[in-house]
Amino acid sequence: MVQTWGMVGALSLLPCLSHVHALPEQCLGVCVNSHDPSIIRRGDGTYFRFSTGGRIAIHTAPNITGPWTYRGAALPGGSSINLPGNQDLWAPDVAQVGNQYYLYYSVSTFGSQNSAIGIARSTSLDAGTWTDLGSTGVVSNPSLPYNAIDGNLVNEEGTSNYFLTFGSFWQGIHRVRVTPTKQHGSPYQVAFDPRDPAIEGPTVFKNGEFYYLFFSKGSCCGYDRNRPPAGKEYRIMVCRSTSPVGPFVDKQGRSCRDGGGTLVLGSHDWVYGPGGQGVYRDPVLGPILYYHYVDTRIGFADGQKKFGWNRINFSSGWPVV
């Protein structure tokens, strides 16, 4: 159920919707301009938030609630990948492997399929410590069925197998095995909606016996210029599988490769277009869903998108915010 903004009749839905979705938890400090956030907590308790823009902006905080402070760009010189967009990097995803931190990022331009997923490495997460390693080998062009952006790393529990899940529009979300710095093997499709290909931004999270594939669906951006029809704005969906390679299905058993997907978080109250999500097992709070969203009380511009987060309850076998 999604609120229809600007229609008087939709206002009557607000009390119902507020029971369906929880409001974002507290965020202090710099909480705007946080498109496609990725967070991680360092061993000393410092939280790091990476986001699209500013050559991957880095913010830190002593707590998930903040106060968040801007620390600089992860790649102040841009990317070494020779593609348009290598000075305007998108969709960061940060992961720790051993004593190294890896930052995946996207090089592309809006609406283009000439794209690549790059990677940088650091031992501390701090601004000024990231070394650009260039392309992972995950690239795309108009001859391929996918777009190589929005990379997310997942490890097959108990093994040394790593997979990069990625994709935006075209023929949906794909996955490929990685080392984790380089591609190995061929990408294969894990999620697609042939009736509405507007899916992107995958995140895979292991909880219990299942691997949960979270993804964003709908129109992500430019709401201040042209808002999409009601129900077509960003929202967070999920499918699951007992295997990291799939197949993934939704709560009704529908294949995620044929339009399946169960709603996790959509527009409600003054929250509009939540997406660009990640899932993180916080050592204090447990599993949390984090994302960007528009606060309709503030404005609809991309630069006004706020950082939101909520705890997730998996007790039913499906994530509930």
Side-chain angles (χ1 to χ4, degrees):
M1 185 181 296
V2 181
Q3 182 179 348
T4 305
W5 296 100
M7 296 180 65
V8 174
L11 296 178
S12 63
L13 294 175
L14 288 177
C16 172
L17 287 171
S18 64
H19 290 292
V20 175
H21 296 306
L23 291 171
E25 296 286 354
Q26 185 180 50
C27 183
L28 303 171
V30 182
C31 298
V32 296
N33 202 14
S34 60
H35 198 95
D36 299 329
S38 180
I39 66 168
I40 193 168
R41 182 180 185 267
R42 196 165 60 186
D44 63 0
T46 303
Y47 286 80
F48 284 75
R49 186 182 79 212
F50 299 81
S51 56
T52 290
R55 297 172 180 171
I56 307 300
I58 302 176
H59 293 77
T60 66
N63 191 289
I64 186 66
T65 61
W68 291 96
T69 302
Y70 176 68
R71 299 300 184 187
L75 295 174
S79 171
S80 60
I81 297 173
N82 187 24
L83 280 176
N86 66 2
Q87 299 298 307
D88 181 24
L89 310 177
W90 299 352
D93 180 76
V94 63
Q96 183 176 6
V97 180
N99 61 356
Q100 301 276 355
Y101 296 98
Y102 292 99
L103 180 67
Y104 297 88
Y105 62 85
S106 305
V107 173
S108 188
T109 54
F110 200 79
S112 171
Q113 204 179 356
N114 292 313
S115 311
I117 297 174
I119 186 169
R121 183 170 58 201
S122 169
T123 57
S124 72
L125 295 166
D126 293 312
T129 68
W130 290 94
T131 300
D132 182 27
L133 303 181
S135 175
T136 59
V138 181
V139 299
S140 61
N141 60 58
S143 70
L144 296 170
Y146 50 80
N147 196 12
I149 68 172
D150 292 353
N152 170 252
L153 185 72
V154 63
N155 170 245
E156 181 179 9
E157 191 172 64
T159 76
S160 59
N161 298 329
Y162 287 89
F163 300 91
L164 195 69
T165 311
F166 64 93
S168 172
F169 286 70
W170 278 270
Q171 292 187 32
I173 293 168
H174 286 65
R175 172 170 291 173
V176 67
R177 188 167 176 173
V178 292
T179 56
T181 58
K182 291 294 180 182
Q183 172 183 339
H184 287 266
S186 300
Y188 56 93
Q189 186 189 73
V190 292
F192 179 53
D193 187 342
R195 293 162 290 278
D196 182 6
I199 66 173
E200 59 186 7
T203 299
V204 178
F205 181 75
K206 177 71 160 54
N207 191 79
E209 64 178 306
F210 293 107
Y211 292 85
Y212 292 85
L213 172 63
F214 294 80
F215 57 94
S216 297
K217 188 167 188 175
S219 176
C220 72
C221 312
Y223 298 146
D224 56 333
R225 300 186 302 274
N226 183 26
R227 279 195 285 285
K232 296 297 185 179
E233 72 276 15
Y234 242 22
R235 57 214 184 267
I236 300 171
M237 314 292 288
V238 72
C239 291
R240 74 181 188 186
S241 173
T242 55
S243 167
V245 299
F248 292 89
V249 298
D250 68 10
K251 195 173 183 178
Q252 283 69 48
R254 296 175 299 179
S255 170
C256 219
R257 295 182 62 186
D258 189 28
T262 297
L263 181 66
V264 177
L265 184 66
S267 298
H268 63 100
D269 298 273
W270 37 261
V271 174
Y272 182 79
Q277 77 294 317
V279 185
Y280 180 61
R281 190 176 302 279
D282 188 275
V284 178
L285 301 171
I288 63 171
L289 175 74
Y290 59 88
Y291 48 91
H292 68 244
Y293 70 96
V294 158
D295 185 331
T296 62
R297 302 168 300 177
I298 297 174
F300 288 82
D302 288 339
Q304 294 173 306
K305 286 178 178 173
K306 296 184 69 175
F307 174 67
W309 68 277
N310 295 89
R311 299 183 190 186
I312 312 177
N313 188 325
F314 283 95
S315 61
S316 68
W318 291 92
V320 177
V321 173

